[in-house]
Amino acid sequence: MTQEDQHQWYIVRVFSNHEKKVKRYLDREIEMQGLEDKISEVLIPTETVIEIRSGKKKTREKNFLPGYIMLKTIYDEEVNNLIQGAPSTIGFLKNKKEPKPKPLRKSEVNRILGQVQDNEDMAEQGGKIEIPYDEGDIVKVIDGPFKDFDGTVQEVNTDKLKLRVLVSIFGRKTPVEVGVNQVEPAT
């Protein structure tokens, strides 16, 4: 068994929105302390999403495990001390009854890493679309034949980037289909 085979994936809890800061710190410390043989990878599981805001597409990276990073390491006291001393870090994710954290199971690692790979593939193809509206949201139609009508989102179709909105026409609630760039949140 090579040393690389002994590396296992662990979850480290960090302050939410501090994942990149912690990763930069750990990468720097691993290099300075010469721990490359013990810690082979620090990973922030992210996905690329496309948001549509005010009719414009914006691409951004979104952490799909906020407050956590993954560490591929040989767990020992030295690694534990590095994590415990890192700023904005809570520590290894572990059971309160056990002194040492348990590594992730292969199936969990494959699922998470598979999701990261899928998201990288999706990013190359344009990314995952994130529509900022949910069922029940009140929106105002800003374009098309129903311009200036207010309505309630009844259904969200992410594949077609369409919303079914209930608007009041002549006193009756009528469902109309509009594109996500044809509406904005009602004020």
Side-chain angles (χ1 to χ4, degrees), residues 8-11 70 102-109 112:
Q8 294 180 302
W9 285 101
Y10 293 86
I11 298 289
M70 294 177 63
K102 286 191 175 183
L104 292 172
R105 293 189 305 268
K106 273 258 195 249
S107 61
E108 294 170 319
V109 172
I112 293 170

Side-chain angles (χ1 to χ4, degrees), residues 60-108:
R60 70 175 178 91
E61 285 289 311
K62 179 181 175 186
N63 185 349
F64 66 80
L65 290 177
Y68 299 96
I69 60 173
M70 294 177 63
L71 197 66
K72 188 172 186 183
T73 185
I74 299 172
Y75 180 84
D76 66 5
E77 201 60 38
E78 190 176 16
V79 171
N80 187 50
N81 290 339
L82 173 66
I83 296 302
Q84 293 299 330
S88 303
T89 302
I90 299 166
F92 280 98
L93 186 63
K94 60 184 175 182
N95 186 333
K96 290 181 182 179
K97 297 175 185 172
E98 298 189 27
K100 293 170 66 174
K102 286 191 175 183
L104 292 172
R105 293 189 305 268
K106 273 258 195 249
S107 61
E108 294 170 319

Side-chain angles (χ1 to χ4, degrees), residues 111-129:
R111 184 174 45 85
I112 293 170
L113 293 181
Q115 190 169 358
V116 169
Q117 185 60 47
D118 288 348
N119 289 321
E120 288 172 1
D121 294 343
M122 198 177 288
E124 291 171 8
Q125 299 167 6
K128 175 182 171 184
I129 305 280

Side-chain angles (χ1 to χ4, degrees), residues 26-36:
L26 290 175
D27 287 340
R28 193 171 52 246
E29 286 298 309
I30 290 165
E31 188 175 329
M32 284 175 46
Q33 294 183 26
L35 295 174
E36 293 91 347

